[in-house]
Amino acid sequence: MEYYLIVAGDDNSFFKITRCRILLGIACVLVIVILVQFTRLALIPVSDFHENVTESERGSIVDRNGAPLAVQTIFYDIGYTPSKVKDLDSFAGNMAMALGIDEDSIRVNYESNKGKKFAYLKKRVDQGVYADVKAVTDEFGYNYVSFDKVPGRIYPNHSLAAHLIGYMGKEGKGMSGIEYSQQDILTSVVKEDFYEPAKNVYLTIDANLQYKLEQIAFETVAETQCQNMMMIAVDSSSGEILSYVSLPEADLNDYGSSTQEQQFDHLRMEAYEPGSVFKIFTVSILYDENRIKQNDSFLCDGMYEYRIPGGETIRIKCLEKHGWLTPRDAISLSCNDAIGQISDRIGEDEFIAKIRGLGFGQKTGIELSGETAAIVKDTSASSWSARSKPTIAIGQEITVSALQMVQAATALANGGVPVNLSVIRRITNKDGSVFYEHKPEYKDRVFKRDTAEYVLSCMETTSLRGNGTRANISDISIGTKTGTAQMADKEKGGYSDTDYLSSCIGIFPTENPEIILYVVIEKANGEVYGGRIAAPVIQKAANVIIDHLGMSRGSAPSLDHDGTITIPHGNSVTVGSIVPDFTGLNKRELSSLLERNDIIVNINGSGWVTSQNPEPGTTVTENMRIELYLE
């Protein structure tokens, strides 16, 4: 008899074991396939391009006329696999010649990276070097050399307007200037379902004019041996900056080798005490508020003195004893004493409010980052003292930026209405269509028109007979104001005995202002007076601007007359021992009346004489100045 043992589930177990064996076999086959594929891929040569950087489009930066200032290009980072170099001597020799480096540097590179799978030979080479290296790798079969494309910038004019244009870093990001502030405009936007192409930025500067003025600036730096210098030219009606000079400056094509001083933009980043140039704003404020009149006289005895209630006397020294001065004389001769007395006629809080109303103590809002607001201190500040108001009136105890100074000056040039500054003229799309066009942005009126005209005429007197004569242009009218300010001693405190800031501002033509030109020279060696070293720069630069822009010459009125005065107004009037009455005479009648050489006559305004200084009957003295006011 035979017995059979039947175990439940035996058939299922059989099928499970068979299935596992089949799956295991398939898995082994797949592993073998993967290993074969991996081995095959490992043996494939390294491709010519090893892309590490996502290439993106970047718009150009050009001047107002379309001349290129910053354009996109491609650089290459060249790398290799050291472990695959078989003949180091041959490799070093061939590659050194193509790369423009010595063989030893390649050998050192190889020894430092021996056995590694990747190392860089040289970064950021241009198209020419890339072509040479590619030819060598193709010729000698160096398939282990790779090329990484790196988007970059070429600056055709190297350091021209460097602080304004700015610099693009290795990662395709703007690091300063327009490259930084307009990063989003200059770069393309790429998303899953959206593409916004890069745009081109047209600056307000004229590259040719910029070059000419930079040459004048370089000459000035060499002559004065100054530490740094600023020069800015502005279209006074639009606020567009035509030239933007801050020295020293960096070569944008070799920015990594520049110093911190070369990278610092003094025009927008430096806050400094402006000195006597600020006096034009002090007189403007007081005259606009009817606190002073054209004929007011102030006695300068060489020292401004003011006794405060507590008994202390505030003293500010003047360079000379000027005698009796009108506000015009105070500007023309830059008298500290007279300006201090003028400031006595306005309250502290009101004076500071008016200064802030001109834009001081706040950023101008120009299309650049890193702008300083400078400092206009409050009357409640712990540093405020009884001498603060008259000291601020002459341009000390207040800090400004060069941009703030020229923006405030646009109020004088535009009949009392300032205009915002701008360095961007337009922005265009890739197809050339206009994305943005600059339009003048006028601010609220800060002065009456007659205030602006009066102060401009005072500035013209400064260029004709005052401290700004070296800025005078013979055939076109220009109003100027010079300044010389002791700079703060940051180590010892107080003011330095050796470091000065010398400056001059010019507005021309005075009868119909078009250009504001401002020059600042810091820490000059030797001569430091603004009227002697900054004013001549204004004259040189203004002449260049006038010729470059094709402005009409020969329009400067001749207001300085010497000699005997004969007035054909009814009966002939001759200036003898006393001053005659000029009331009712017009400018044409006055312009041909001088035959003596010991009298100076200033004709202010147009129309007919309504007032004069000194009064009729005053005894005539040698070199007497006679002011005639016409309406």
Side-chain angles (χ1 to χ4, degrees):
M1 180 180 293
E2 294 181 359
Y3 297 93
Y4 296 91
L5 178 63
I6 299 177
V7 180
D10 272 3
D11 290 341
N12 291 338
S13 297
F14 171 79
F15 288 112
K16 286 182 180 178
I17 293 172
T18 302
R19 189 180 301 161
C20 288
R21 289 173 178 172
I22 293 172
L23 291 175
L24 180 61
I26 294 173
C28 291
V29 172
L30 289 175
V31 170
I32 293 172
V33 171
I34 292 172
L35 290 174
V36 171
Q37 285 290 96
F38 179 81
T39 303
R40 186 178 67 82
L41 291 173
L43 295 175
I44 293 177
V46 179
S47 66
D48 286 340
F49 287 92
H50 181 72
E51 301 288 354
N52 284 338
V53 179
T54 301
E55 186 177 349
S56 61
E57 180 187 18
R58 191 172 182 87
S60 297
I61 300 174
V62 300
D63 82 341
R64 66 188 296 113
N65 301 311
L69 300 173
V71 294
Q72 186 176 28
T73 189
I74 294 295
F75 292 110
Y76 296 86
D77 289 345
I78 300 179
Y80 72 120
T81 305
S83 61
K84 292 189 177 182
V85 176
K86 297 178 180 179
D87 185 342
L88 178 59
D89 291 337
S90 175
F91 178 76
N94 294 331
M95 294 297 290
M97 183 177 297
L99 287 168
I101 58 179
D102 59 83
E103 295 182 26
D104 288 341
S105 64
I106 293 182
R107 290 191 178 91
V108 171
N109 181 295
Y110 172 80
E111 293 297 332
S112 300
N113 298 287
K114 187 187 302 184
K116 292 183 179 179
K117 292 183 178 180
F118 183 80
Y120 282 111
L121 279 172
K122 191 174 182 179
K123 292 186 175 184
R124 294 183 68 80
V125 303
D126 59 28
Q127 293 276 356
V129 174
Y130 160 73
D132 292 341
V133 175
K134 187 67 168 62
V136 169
T137 60
D138 289 345
E139 179 181 354
F140 294 98
Y142 297 150
N143 55 16
Y144 46 83
V145 173
S146 64
F147 304 87
D148 296 346
K149 273 187 177 181
V150 181
R153 272 304 215 206
I154 288 180
Y155 301 94
N157 300 296
H158 296 271
S159 62
L160 187 80
H163 295 290
L164 173 57
I165 297 168
Y167 170 72
M168 189 191 81
K170 295 180 180 180
E171 302 302 321
K173 302 291 185 181
M175 304 300 289
S176 64
I178 289 295
E179 292 276 35
Y180 176 80
S181 68
Q182 302 302 306
Q183 171 71 19
D184 293 341
I185 291 292
L186 289 166
T187 54
S188 55
V189 178
V190 181
K191 295 183 179 179
E192 292 182 1
D193 57 350
F194 177 77
Y195 173 69
E196 179 70 25
K199 299 174 178 62
N200 298 322
V201 175
Y202 283 71
L203 301 182
T204 57
I205 67 168
D206 182 315
N208 289 327
L209 179 60
Q210 176 79 17
Y211 174 79
K212 293 174 183 178
L213 296 189
E214 282 196 11
Q215 296 311 300
I216 293 175
F218 286 133
E219 293 171 4
T220 302
V221 170
E223 291 170 0
T224 64
Q225 293 297 299
C226 64
Q227 182 170 302
N228 52 70
M229 178 178 173
M230 297 177 259
M231 185 192 303
I232 183 169
V234 177
D235 182 319
S236 59
S237 61
S238 68
E240 293 185 354
I241 294 176
L242 303 179
S243 182
Y244 191 100
V245 182
S246 177
L247 299 182
E249 56 189 357
D251 184 340
L252 296 177
N253 291 318
D254 190 23
Y255 196 79
S257 301
S258 61
T259 64
Q260 287 188 345
E261 179 61 21
Q262 290 173 321
Q263 296 173 13
F264 185 80
D265 183 359
H266 292 272
L267 277 171
R268 74 175 188 272
M269 295 179 175
E270 182 178 1
Y272 57 90
E273 295 186 9
S276 293
V277 173
F278 196 79
K279 292 172 182 174
I280 60 176
F281 301 119
T282 296
V283 171
S284 297
I285 290 170
L286 272 293
Y287 186 82
D288 199 70
E289 292 298 312
N290 297 316
R291 309 300 170 84
I292 57 173
K293 299 184 182 301
Q294 295 182 24
N295 295 334
D296 287 349
S297 293
F298 302 88
L299 177 61
C300 169
D301 58 4
M303 182 75 71
Y304 165 80
E305 294 184 318
Y306 178 77
R307 185 179 295 275
I308 61 177
E312 180 185 356
T313 300
I314 304 302
R315 293 183 174 88
I316 298 176
K317 187 178 180 181
C318 194
L319 292 177
E320 297 182 30
K321 295 181 179 180
H322 293 110
W324 287 100
L325 302 178
T326 64
R328 178 182 302 276
D329 299 324
I331 289 179
S332 177
L333 301 176
S334 200
C335 178
N336 290 343
D337 190 352
I339 295 296
Q341 294 178 55
I342 287 173
S343 73
D344 289 341
R345 298 190 178 187
I346 192 170
E348 295 176 341
D349 291 328
E350 185 180 4
F351 187 46
I352 292 300
K354 293 295 182 181
I355 289 174
R356 292 187 186 278
L358 284 170
F360 295 107
Q362 56 190 288
K363 298 178 181 181
T364 66
I366 198 170
E367 305 97 333
L368 293 167
S369 63
E371 182 185 1
T372 179
I375 298 175
V376 177
K377 59 185 177 182
D378 295 322
T379 58
S380 59
S382 59
S383 58
W384 186 273
S385 69
R387 66 178 295 118
S388 292
K389 185 179 63 171
T391 304
I392 291 173
I394 64 173
Q396 295 180 315
E397 278 197 49
I398 180 175
T399 62
V400 304
S401 72
L403 295 179
Q404 290 173 345
M405 289 292 285
V406 293
Q407 181 161 283
T410 64
L412 299 177
N414 292 323
V417 180
V419 61
N420 287 331
L421 300 182
S422 177
V423 291
I424 297 180
R425 192 181 191 197
R426 73 168 62 93
I427 298 173
T428 62
N429 295 308
K430 190 176 182 180
D431 61 5
S433 60
V434 176
F435 174 78
Y436 163 83
E437 187 85 37
H438 171 256
K439 294 181 181 179
E441 296 179 3
Y442 295 100
K443 306 176 76 173
D444 293 337
R445 176 176 292 278
V446 293
F447 298 132
K448 295 186 286 289
R449 177 171 290 278
D450 67 333
T451 296
E453 292 176 349
Y454 169 65
V455 175
L456 276 178
S457 73
C458 293
M459 294 175 67
E460 185 176 4
T461 301
T462 304
S463 67
L464 290 171
R465 288 175 294 279
N467 292 351
T469 54
R470 298 189 184 192
N472 187 33
I473 306 168
S474 60
D475 56 358
I476 193 169
S477 59
I478 183 170
T480 62
K481 183 67 192 82
T482 63
T484 309
Q486 282 182 286
M487 299 185 71
D489 189 327
K490 296 181 179 179
E491 295 182 359
K492 300 179 182 179
Y495 288 97
S496 170
D497 294 328
T498 58
D499 297 338
Y500 289 84
L501 185 142
S502 313
S503 61
C504 186
I505 194 167
I507 302 177
F508 58 93
T510 52
E511 64 272 11
N512 185 25
E514 296 180 37
I515 301 295
I516 298 172
L517 181 61
Y518 184 45
V519 170
V520 179
I521 301 170
E522 292 191 44
K523 299 182 180 180
N525 286 319
E527 183 61 72
V528 296
Y529 284 107
R532 296 177 183 173
I533 65 173
V537 181
I538 290 286
Q539 184 190 65
K540 291 179 185 177
N543 274 310
V544 167
I545 293 171
I546 291 166
D547 291 339
H548 185 85
L549 299 180
M551 296 171 63
S552 176
R553 284 187 177 271
S555 60
S558 178
L559 304 181
D560 194 358
H561 306 283
D562 298 315
T564 302
I565 303 177
T566 304
I567 304 179
H569 182 59
N571 296 326
S572 296
V573 179
T574 302
V575 175
S577 59
I578 62 173
V579 175
D581 184 359
F582 295 91
T583 304
L585 298 179
N586 60 42
K587 183 180 288 188
R588 179 176 297 177
E589 291 173 313
L590 296 170
S591 62
S592 60
L593 302 178
L594 298 175
E595 296 178 0
R596 281 170 45 178
N597 59 7
D598 59 348
I599 297 175
I600 299 173
V601 176
N602 296 334
I603 303 175
N604 309 291
S606 59
W608 292 265
V609 177
T610 58
S611 62
Q612 67 183 72
N613 185 37
E615 297 178 353
T618 303
T619 300
V620 173
T621 59
E622 187 175 358
N623 295 322
M624 171 181 277
R625 178 180 285 112
I626 300 176
E627 299 280 349
L628 302 178
Y629 304 95
L630 285 65
E631 294 181 0

